[in-house]
Amino acid sequence: MTDTLCLRIRAMTWEAEDILGLELVAATPHTPLPPFTAGAHVDLHLPGPLVRSYSLLNDPSERHRWCVAVHRDAASRGGSRTVHAQLRPGQLLQVSAPRNHFPLDESAALSVFIAGGIGITPLLCMVRRLATLGRPWVLHHAARTRAHAAFVDTLQALAAQGGGTVHHVFDQEPGAQMLDVAAVVAALAADAHVYCCGPAGMLAAFEQATAG
């Protein structure tokens, strides 16, 4: 696998119900990793063998680690189930170099993000980048319940730095309603850039709302 890097799982963290975070570092200690940009993903070569893509969620300025989060999908074809059941800190993995098919426009007057479930991961990386640059952003973050929502405290801390706003929607909690994607899009300023990552239903609503 000459096109991959050998990385070690330095730590695994519980981020929310059925969501595990993985911190990956170079197998050779203190070796910097290749740079990446907000929105990038890597391919993990898992036991099986399986290859699955996951978005990088840590600050792009970090060169000592890559961080991903994996949701255990009830309909898993083996990838997320393998991560949760078989991976452990200290293991070595082959990991691809970062690629970015979902880039962030850092020059936008305002960046608006719509995230559903584990779709928060690439958008968290974008928020981190904009917070570093001091650029304004708004995030609408939907999850089934607060227990299923990853990185809530991290997002609130980033918003508290100034320049950012977070709206959480937990649509399966008593009295809650689903995130109205069409209303979010309709309220956008003309010069705002909007990004969406989430389940198929959310993406379909987003595409319909932005068709014009």
Side-chain angles (χ1 to χ4, degrees):
M1 297 182 182
T2 57
D3 58 341
T4 61
L5 297 83
C6 183
L7 303 186
R8 189 179 302 279
I9 303 173
R10 182 180 181 274
M12 297 182 70
T13 53
W14 185 90
E15 300 295 351
E17 191 72 29
D18 292 328
I19 297 177
L20 285 180
L22 277 69
E23 180 184 6
L24 305 170
V25 298
T28 303
H30 311 299
T31 301
L33 299 177
F36 68 94
T37 54
H41 70 275
V42 295
D43 296 335
L44 302 190
H45 293 250
L46 303 170
L50 299 167
V51 180
R52 295 292 186 268
S53 299
Y54 299 104
S55 297
L56 294 170
L57 58 85
N58 55 302
D59 192 321
S61 66
E62 296 179 336
R63 295 292 303 277
H64 66 290
R65 65 175 185 165
W66 291 341
C67 297
V68 301
V70 181
H71 172 245
R72 183 172 55 194
D73 189 348
S76 171
R77 293 177 293 115
S80 66
R81 184 169 60 246
T82 296
V83 170
H84 280 248
Q86 298 188 31
L87 297 191
R88 296 294 181 268
Q91 281 181 251
L92 295 175
L93 291 178
Q94 295 295 323
V95 182
S96 74
R99 301 189 301 280
N100 198 338
H101 304 309
F102 191 34
L104 171 70
D105 186 339
E106 298 177 355
S107 66
L110 174 66
S111 297
V112 178
F113 304 105
I114 302 171
I118 196 62
I120 188 61
T121 51
L123 305 186
L124 173 56
C125 186
M126 294 180 184
V127 164
R128 291 187 197 273
R129 177 60 178 164
L130 293 177
T132 297
L133 296 173
R135 305 290 296 177
W137 56 271
V138 176
L139 169 68
H140 299 270
H141 181 205
R144 286 182 287 168
T145 68
R146 183 175 292 274
H148 290 87
F151 310 110
V152 169
D153 291 343
T154 299
L155 291 164
Q156 291 176 340
L158 288 166
Q161 294 179 16
T165 304
V166 179
H167 303 284
H168 297 290
V169 176
F170 307 121
D171 53 51
Q172 291 186 9
E173 294 194 345
Q177 295 182 339
M178 294 188 65
L179 176 64
D180 190 338
V181 173
V184 171
V185 172
L188 291 174
D191 55 356
H193 287 214
V194 60
Y195 303 77
C196 182
C197 188
M202 174 178 280
L203 295 178
F206 177 76
E207 291 177 352
Q208 181 178 2
T210 58

